[in-house]
Amino acid sequence: MASDLNLPESLYEDYSTPDLPVHGPASVAYWIQALQSHETKERALLILSQNKEIRKDLAPLLWNSIGTISALLQEIISVYRTLSSPNLTETASTRVSNALALFQCVASHPETRKQFLKAKLPLYLYPFLNTKDKEKPHEYLRLTSLGVIGTLVKSDDPEAIRFLLQTEIFPCCLTSMEVGSDLSKQVATFIIYKILLHEEGLKYCCVLADRFFAVARALAQMTEKLVEQPSPRLLKHIICCYHRLSQSPRACDGLRCCLPLWFGDRKFTSQLHGDFVAVRYLQELLSNIMARHEATRQPMRLLQPMQLMQLV
């Protein structure tokens, strides 16, 4: 599923064919050094972010060059004061997003990921995830910030998962699931799912009723919106989250009273046509809930056995 979450390079301009590609070591060093100058910083952010997939050694070079991470951090912090106002421009948003793309490069590299976490740099992204503004510049910052966090969870590094849990990433993702674009919702839901796959993450979500129901409510609200605006990929991520939650007896008990009724609607679930993995997860989800109901004989408001058999 991780491969389904490739983020666009930019929402505003086509930078697919940069006119100044970074090839040789001298060129890389030039553009990294250019981050230190006010006159060349914007261009350097653009060129380096364009080439982060081409230069596999870019992350170590960025991390180990003097003043570079500080320069990126200054760029990110510079727009904080405009987040709660309509003064955030697309130009400023694009600049910061290019800086975030370089943060994503550092977060993805095995040689720099641990230092990235040790420096607690993901915390500087959280303001972009907590804003509820839906304007395009804010949405782009939200999406690129989620891209950095998504890179961390795709690494399946227990240290990264532990860091994200300790720094309260769940509320940030829930906000993005509430107000973000379809793509932001996909990435935020994917992050929740990847965290839930770790036992520590599942326990974190289920240990407090309020925490579990906050996640369940966000998933249910997104599901409800998919009735009018179908999104098969988002629905798959939602089902994967529910499926993982159903593997916890405590969470499974909660799902019996809050799982959306739409999962028993054949027309709604037809969005999954051809996606055998999503269909199997949905069937297993409903089977888990039914089995828990049979074991405890507690009240259940949603699916009857016949509905389960005829679902897909």
Side-chain angles (χ1 to χ4, degrees), residues 35-102:
L35 291 171
Q36 309 296 332
S37 169
H38 177 74
E39 288 74 19
T40 56
K41 188 175 185 179
E42 182 174 5
R43 187 63 176 165
L45 287 169
L46 171 59
I47 295 297
L48 290 170
S49 64
Q50 288 173 342
N51 288 272
K52 64 185 176 68
E53 301 298 334
I54 300 173
R55 289 300 304 248
K56 301 303 181 183
D57 60 344
L58 181 58
L61 291 173
L62 290 170
W63 187 263
N64 294 314
S65 56
I66 297 175
T68 298
I69 298 301
S70 176
L72 296 177
L73 197 54
Q74 289 172 3
E75 189 71 31
I76 291 168
I77 294 174
S78 69
V79 297
Y80 279 2
R81 64 183 182 276
T82 63
L83 288 179
S84 58
S85 73
N87 298 326
L88 178 63
T89 65
E90 292 189 1
T91 299
S93 177
T94 299
R95 280 186 58 147
V96 174
S97 294
N98 286 334
L100 290 171
L102 297 181

Side-chain angles (χ1 to χ4, degrees), residues 158-177:
E159 185 177 339
I161 299 299
R162 194 171 301 113
F163 174 88
L164 294 173
L165 289 175
Q166 291 172 350
T167 55
E168 300 287 330
I169 189 61
F170 265 57
C172 295
C173 287
L174 296 183
T175 299
S176 296
M177 291 158 69

Side-chain angles (χ1 to χ4, degrees), residues 8 58 128 160 186 242 244 297:
L58 181 58
F128 303 135
Q186 288 181 44
Y242 275 129
R244 178 55 175 157
R297 289 295 178 181

Side-chain angles (χ1 to χ4, degrees), residues 70-278:
S70 176
L72 296 177
L73 197 54
Q74 289 172 3
E75 189 71 31
I76 291 168
I77 294 174
S78 69
V79 297
Y80 279 2
R81 64 183 182 276
T82 63
L83 288 179
S84 58
S85 73
N87 298 326
L88 178 63
T89 65
E90 292 189 1
T91 299
S93 177
T94 299
R95 280 186 58 147
V96 174
S97 294
N98 286 334
L100 290 171
L102 297 181
F103 262 25
Q104 183 175 4
C105 176
V106 173
S108 67
H109 200 285
E111 292 183 21
T112 53
R113 185 185 306 118
K114 289 187 183 299
Q115 294 99 312
F116 184 77
L117 292 171
K118 188 176 182 180
K120 300 183 178 180
L121 292 178
L123 293 178
Y124 292 94
L125 281 58
Y126 287 13
F128 303 135
L129 300 178
N130 285 323
T131 179
K132 293 192 174 183
D133 198 304
K134 298 182 181 182
E135 295 299 316
K136 195 174 184 180
H138 293 80
E139 172 57 26
Y140 192 26
L141 291 176
R142 179 183 298 116
L143 180 58
T144 48
S145 297
L146 287 168
V148 180
I149 306 300
T151 293
L152 288 172
V153 299
K154 282 194 285 187
S155 70
D156 287 321
D157 183 345
E159 185 177 339
I161 299 299
R162 194 171 301 113
F163 174 88
L164 294 173
L165 289 175
Q166 291 172 350
T167 55
E168 300 287 330
I169 189 61
F170 265 57
C172 295
C173 287
L174 296 183
T175 299
S176 296
M177 291 158 69
E178 176 189 353
V179 303
S181 65
D182 181 77
L183 186 52
S184 285
K185 285 181 169 68
Q186 288 181 44
V187 183
T189 309
F190 172 78
I191 292 169
I192 294 291
Y193 172 62
K194 291 292 286 185
I195 293 175
L196 289 175
L197 284 180
H198 291 253
E199 284 300 321
E200 190 173 351
L202 186 61
K203 290 178 182 177
Y204 174 91
C205 181
C206 300
V207 69
L208 297 176
D210 287 349
R211 193 177 289 163
F212 163 77
F213 281 110
V215 173
R217 182 165 52 251
L219 294 172
Q221 289 173 347
M222 288 193 299
T223 302
E224 190 69 30
K225 292 179 181 178
L226 293 182
V227 177
E228 298 297 330
Q229 297 177 313
S231 174
R233 190 173 295 182
L234 177 56
L235 180 57
K236 179 176 183 177
H237 292 314
I238 292 171
I239 289 172
C240 287
C241 285
Y242 275 129
H243 177 267
R244 178 55 175 157
L245 288 171
S246 73
Q247 294 174 343
S248 163
R250 182 178 174 87
C252 198
D253 286 340
L255 291 178
R256 286 184 300 175
C257 66
C258 66
L259 190 71
L261 292 170
W262 291 107
F263 288 139
D265 185 295
R266 289 176 61 86
K267 183 178 179 181
F268 177 76
T269 57
S270 66
Q271 296 180 51
L272 302 174
H273 180 71
D275 190 334
F276 299 108
V277 173

